[in-house]
Amino acid sequence: MFSLIRAQLLFRRGRLVATIAAVAVAVASFALLASASRGSQVQVNGTVQANFRPTYDILVRPPAAVPSEDGLVRTDRVTSTYGGITEAQWRRILDLPGVDVAAPVAMAGYVMQTAVITVDLTDHVAAGGQRQVLRVRPVFTGDRGLSSIADGPKYLYATRNALEFVPGEPWIEGKNYDSSALPKPPEIREHGAAGVTAVCEGITGYFDTVDALSVSDRTEAHCWSSDPTSSIEQTPRPQVRVLFPIPLLLAAIDPVQEARLDGLDRAVVSGGYLNAGDTAAGIPVLAAGSLDLDQQVRVEIERIGGDAADKTGAGMRLDNAVDYYATQPSTPIGARAFSAQDLYPAVLDAIAHPPGAGGFPPAAGTSVVNEWWTTSPLTLADGSAAVVPYSGGEWGKVPHGMPDSKPLPMGLADDPVRAVVRHGRDGDSKTASAFLRGVGVYDPAKVDTGPALSRPPFDLYAVPAATGADDAALAALGDRPLIAGTSFAGPLGQRPHLLTTLSALPALHRAPYNSLDPAHGVDAGAPISMVRVRVAGTVGMDAFSRERVRAVADQIHLATGLRVDLTVGSSAAAVPLALPAGKFGRPALAVRDNWLKLGVATTIVSAIDRKSLVLSILVLVACALAVGNATGAAVRGRSTELAVLACVGWPRGRLFALVAAESTAVGAVAGLLGTILALALSRVLGVDLGAGYALLAIPAALLLSLLAALPPAWRATRADPAAAVRPAVAPARRRRAPQRIAGLALGNVLRTPGRTAVGAASLAIGVASLTLLVIINLTFRGSVSGTVLGDAITVQVQATDYIAAALTTLLGAATVADVLYVNIRERAAEFALLGAVGWTDAWTARLAGYEALALGVLGATTGTGIALGTAALLSSELTGASFAVAAAAALAGTLLAVAAAILPVRSLRGLPKARLLAEE
């Protein structure tokens, strides 16, 4: 028997190679896919575990806080909440068993700081004539350069003639003056070659009370003389000042709890840390060392032409001259640019050197808080992501022209999307304004903010940012995130750049400030906005840890009545928003804002476990069917030989043993080659091939080959030998002879139903496997993507998905090619007969191609139906993407079947037709 087995294997080398190749590819695919799936699962679980616990496990918010919707906590609802939790409730949380840290945050509001840009015009004045007028035009840009807002220009009348200051008549205290007999005001006189002229009357920009955001009211004009005998008060060099208002968000914390939560005390890079017992004058402030604001100013310097200088020297009032200057031609002579980050060190310096008790604030910036501001959250249109513009923004009258007057940023002139409340001084209050007193500077990068993939987007040290959600927005933003500018009424708020203590916060919640009530967004009796709670002990992904955190959260709610959210296992999620267009250049933008998605980690782990299970089953079934198909096809191809052996007296048991032994030998060789192939491909594909899966390849190939050979071998031993030697052709029926090659091909497919079924089934296996694999991956990505952690996981499993798709396609191609090769080789005599009657090689190839096409359509549609049906059982619904994938797989399967028929047909060209016909 062994010599017969050896002879059969050597005689049918083509079929032997095809069978061994199909089985080897199948077992190698199983080893690689199983290893890749398991490795991906381990990697994902490790990533989720490492990012499962942020710096705090529970977020406590006021009872009136809007609950999370669909597991999402809106960032701006957290950062725009100014109070709602009392200090007593916070201390009650701190005393609960199981609470390790309870770090409160009280959002105070925006305090205005002013950076002063001194524009030295010495070089430009020296290059001019006897008299000249220079204009400095500040243009503020933000929104990644999309918004451009001009501030009021600054004019300087510069002359080489002496300017004399003539004091006015004094005002007598207690005397009533008639409007026609007021004391003579002071006067400035220019001593020129033509005589003495009163000039520079009506100078603007010193102590005027003006509209806060009116460009005309923010326009200034000054005079300067290069003559050293001049007696007017002026700077030594010709210059103008451009004011750059910078609002900074102030928040109050408990220094001890904050240090325990995130190590803020270890992030101090200069000065000292906050002390809750600090009783010195002023509000102690720990400032961030970097400023995260998108705001720049371009200062354009121009020389005004025409007769502007002559008219000014002739006595034109400056308040009239500025309108006249705008009508005259101008020549650009210079430009400079500054960003908020460039000027931030000067702001920090002003905060670090506050005015003394009773002292007048310094001119070059100030830390005095004459007013502060609170804002509302964004309003979204019902059932949509559209941000609703706010119909408000009355800023009133403010002093302008001096840094201590705290002018407002021009960004507030844009259409607001938030309600803003000003907490200014009461006009009758005699109480001095509070002032900021810098105690130190910290580096936000040195704060322990926890794992990057689970960091809450409303963290004290996180920069609120929105990214473009479509191509238009990405192009407009230059592929950069949209961050806050100096307009605190805009779509994005700041992170707190200034931190103080809870004990210092009452300085802003009392006189001289107004609008201090919950109706105006301030709750002095309950100033805390949120409490971040870390549970004692180690918290992992296990059910016991999650239940322990939940139990502490329940205790907090029962003890305080406050709203609680579990942040453990959460991650930031990109939520679409539609921002309205601004009126200074920013178009309407579709962006994605970061909110907090609760329970992401559990969802990801469950999804990857489901995916791994389904993928393992799919791979096992696909590989088993592929092996079975290859081995079964080889045995079925020998049905005539087995029948001849039965006719010459071979018993059924011996026939059965012959088939089993041949299949076992093929399986052993294929298993060994499959192991070698898996080892080689694992290096190419970067898969860590598991030793268990590699060692399993040989016994798996043996077992599957033997099992696949049993049904056809059993049928061969039980069938009638006389019937077995007849070809498996359906009974002939009277029908019209085919007139075209396509008709003949269809007839050939129909007259051999068994062979057609085998080919179609093999293709259906490959198409169903590939389709189902892609649908599983799409479903997995849809269930976990959209969050920072989920997107990272999706990237991690991407390589495994590609490997699985490639190997499944390879497995299907090998299976189809094997069946077609065996079929065409067995029909060699038939093709020889066609060649003998005059058929060309091209016609023969077309016939085989049409047959493969019919086989491909049948197998591909069947496989697609199986995949969609199975996916529907595994998922609640099928998406449009699922049907698109199925259609693409069906088309690819059909083309694959046609391509697989090419090489076998070409191999027939060299066969001797006479010998093939004689054998037939």
Side-chain angles (χ1 to χ4, degrees), residues 753-791:
R755 187 171 61 201
T756 300
V758 170
S762 64
L763 182 60
I765 292 169
V767 171
S769 300
L770 179 60
T771 305
L772 195 55
L773 174 64
V774 176
I775 292 176
I776 289 171
N777 289 329
L778 289 175
T779 303
F780 169 74
R781 294 187 185 188
S783 64
V784 304
S785 61
T787 65
V788 175
L789 179 58
D791 291 344

Side-chain angles (χ1 to χ4, degrees), residues 292-334:
D292 300 297
L293 291 182
D294 176 23
Q295 194 72 66
Q296 301 81 33
V297 63
R298 178 178 172 83
V299 178
E300 300 171 351
I301 305 172
E302 303 167 329
R303 179 174 284 110
I304 306 298
D307 58 357
D310 292 337
K311 282 187 175 293
T312 306
M316 178 185 286
R317 291 175 55 91
L318 290 183
D319 48 4
N320 295 327
V322 293
D323 293 331
Y324 182 73
Y325 294 158
T327 67
Q328 298 301 296
S330 62
T331 303
I333 56 177

Side-chain angles (χ1 to χ4, degrees), residues 785-812:
S785 61
T787 65
V788 175
L789 179 58
D791 291 344
I793 294 301
T794 301
V795 172
Q796 282 186 353
V797 302
Q798 218 168 37
T800 302
D801 294 344
Y802 290 148
I803 292 172
L807 290 178
T808 304
T809 303
L810 178 63
L811 184 61

